[in-house]
């Protein structure tokens, strides 16, 4: 049963839908990580979401129409979670949240590179990303550009640089440089 809404204000209603601690994180992980199964979301959450919380948020996001489910043809006991059009339309909001977070919070380079690229790419990149998400989650025609590929490549490059930096620091500390 839905709780009664506090007001008809669009900001209030958006917060009532997405304003808990985990809903946008789950959407982020499906959107940017292409994590589509419960176990993948549970095991690959950087923030360490608890299993009962994840199950609750997935159910709520499905109930709110932000995710849809389908049986996994490769494993009938698994469910595939897909973004719906309203969730895909969150890309500009998520891009703006990432931009704000880069400016005003102590982010790490590897976890903020995708936000940086989305901010720099602006609405043109957001539209291309939404087209790609529609293809992946709604079965539309494949786009010409893979923004997800670009974001993943940039993330992996920064992770590689960070690993190289850590290895260099460790070598210097042990005197093997």
């Amino acid at each position: 049963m839905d709780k009664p809404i506090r007001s008809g204000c669009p900001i209030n209603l958006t917060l009532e839908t997405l304003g808990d601690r985990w809903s946008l994180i789950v959407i982020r992980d499906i959107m940017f990580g292409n994590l589509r199964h419960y176990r993948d979301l549970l095991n690959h959450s950087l923030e360490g979401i608890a299993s009962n919380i994840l199950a609750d948020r997935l159910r709520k996001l499905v109930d709110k129409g932000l995710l849809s489910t389908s049986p996994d043809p490769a494993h009938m006991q698994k469910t595939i979670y897909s973004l719906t059009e309203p969730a895909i339309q969150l890309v500009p909001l998520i891009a703006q949240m990432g931009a704000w977070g880069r400016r005003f919070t102590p982010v790490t380079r590897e976890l903020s590179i995708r936000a940086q690229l989305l901010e720099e790419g602006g609405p043109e990149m957001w539209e291309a990303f939404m087209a790609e998400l529609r293809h992946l989650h709604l079965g539309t025609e494949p786009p010409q550009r893979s923004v997800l590929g670009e974001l993943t490549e940039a993330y992996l490059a920064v992770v590689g640089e960070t690993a190289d930096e850590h290895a260099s620091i460790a070598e210097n500390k042990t005197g093997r440089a």
Side-chain angles (χ1 to χ4, degrees), residues 57-73:
R57 289 319 180 277
L58 288 169
R59 183 185 44 76
K60 285 181 179 178
L61 291 167
V62 169
D63 290 347
K64 293 285 187 180
L66 294 167
L67 297 178
S68 64
T69 61
S70 60
D72 185 339

Side-chain angles (χ1 to χ4, degrees), residues 43-156:
N43 291 337
H44 299 291
S45 169
L46 295 174
E47 292 78 15
I49 190 169
S51 60
N52 61 323
I53 301 294
L54 176 59
D56 179 67
R57 289 319 180 277
L58 288 169
R59 183 185 44 76
K60 285 181 179 178
L61 291 167
V62 169
D63 290 347
K64 293 285 187 180
L66 294 167
L67 297 178
S68 64
T69 61
S70 60
D72 185 339
H75 192 290
M76 294 309 284
Q77 293 179 328
K78 289 185 175 182
T79 299
I80 298 174
Y81 291 93
S82 297
L83 300 171
T84 62
E85 184 61 27
I88 292 168
Q89 290 287 324
L90 289 170
V91 166
L93 174 70
I94 290 172
Q96 290 295 330
M97 289 177 69
W100 185 91
R102 286 184 57 245
R103 280 190 208 86
F104 301 110
T105 65
V107 300
T108 61
R109 186 159 180 260
E110 61 270 16
L111 293 179
S112 66
I113 187 64
R114 291 175 282 210
Q116 177 184 338
L117 293 177
L118 282 171
E119 180 180 9
E120 292 169 355
E124 181 181 320
M125 185 179 221
W126 307 342
E127 287 296 329
F129 189 34
M130 289 190 290
E132 184 174 12
L133 291 171
R134 286 184 191 102
H135 168 66
L136 293 171
H137 294 267
L138 305 176
T140 63
E141 289 295 316
Q144 293 182 348
R145 179 180 181 186
S146 175
V147 173
L148 187 58
E150 294 170 33
L151 297 174
T152 301
E153 186 177 304
Y155 169 75
L156 293 174

